[in-house]
Amino acid sequence: MPSSRSRAEAIRAAADRLSASPILIDGDADELLASIRSGSELSDITVTDRTTLIASGQKAAIVILAVDGDGRRSSFARAATMLRGMDALLAPDAVQIGVIQSGRSRMTPPRLLRLLASEILFQVTMAVPELVPLQLRRSIRQRVGLAALDAAGLRVIRFG
């Protein structure tokens, strides 16, 4: 079982490798977008928005989509529609992560937002196994974190 130090080193190594390619963060959940951007700045991961990516002419290797679950329509269908609208901005093998926020997650404490960043990074490393050695399953700590995110109304989904 890896120690917390080796786990932190693996996360830092993955973050360094992720910074080499453009990461697009977009969506309609403004508060969630702001917290994801601030968390990425704290982790020294460079993210971009749609206008900057269009201006640079690059394709995003990773897209993180923050969707506000309003309860009227399927959040999953709305996220899929948003992703289809971004096809021109994405690399063919882009990792697509959706974070769906329900109404009860409006007042999420900062500690849970760190768990959200950890879950997003876990999903990316599962989709791109050359970032870090492949984990076949979540640790107990990751499972508890995922349950806490679910209870807070945040769902992390990896598309295709």
Side-chain angles (χ1 to χ4, degrees):
M1 180 167 203
S3 68
S4 62
R5 176 175 273 165
S6 64
R7 198 173 21 252
E9 289 171 2
I11 289 173
R12 271 194 294 279
D16 289 343
R17 291 186 193 117
L18 287 176
S19 294
S21 58
I23 300 172
L24 173 64
I25 295 182
D26 199 20
D28 61 358
D30 295 328
E31 296 169 1
L32 186 57
L33 282 170
S35 64
I36 291 173
R37 283 192 180 106
S38 67
S40 65
E41 289 171 5
L42 291 175
S43 301
D44 291 331
I45 297 175
T46 306
V47 296
T48 186
D49 59 355
R50 189 184 293 230
T51 56
T52 307
L53 195 64
I54 291 172
S56 70
Q58 292 181 316
K59 302 280 186 180
I62 298 170
V63 62
I64 300 170
L65 188 65
V67 179
D68 193 14
D70 58 5
R72 286 179 262 149
R73 291 190 341 183
S74 168
S75 302
F76 185 79
R78 195 164 71 232
T81 303
M82 286 178 171
L83 284 171
R84 277 194 299 272
M86 292 183 197
D87 276 343
L89 302 173
L90 304 179
D93 59 343
V95 177
Q96 303 169 0
I97 308 278
V99 180
I100 298 174
Q101 174 185 24
S102 72
R104 66 180 182 260
S105 67
R106 302 275 187 256
M107 295 185 289
T108 307
R111 185 173 180 107
L112 268 180
L113 293 176
R114 286 193 303 267
L115 290 174
L116 176 63
S118 176
E119 178 61 24
I120 290 171
L121 189 58
F122 177 79
Q123 291 292 334
V124 170
T125 57
M126 290 298 290
V128 186
E130 55 268 2
L131 285 176
V132 292
L134 184 64
Q135 288 180 297
L136 297 178
R137 59 179 182 258
R138 288 181 169 87
S139 68
I140 294 295
R141 176 179 273 171
Q142 288 172 323
R143 290 180 200 173
V144 169
L146 186 60
L149 287 173
D150 190 37
L154 294 167
R155 298 197 185 259
V156 180
I157 301 168
R158 185 176 69 226
F159 291 88

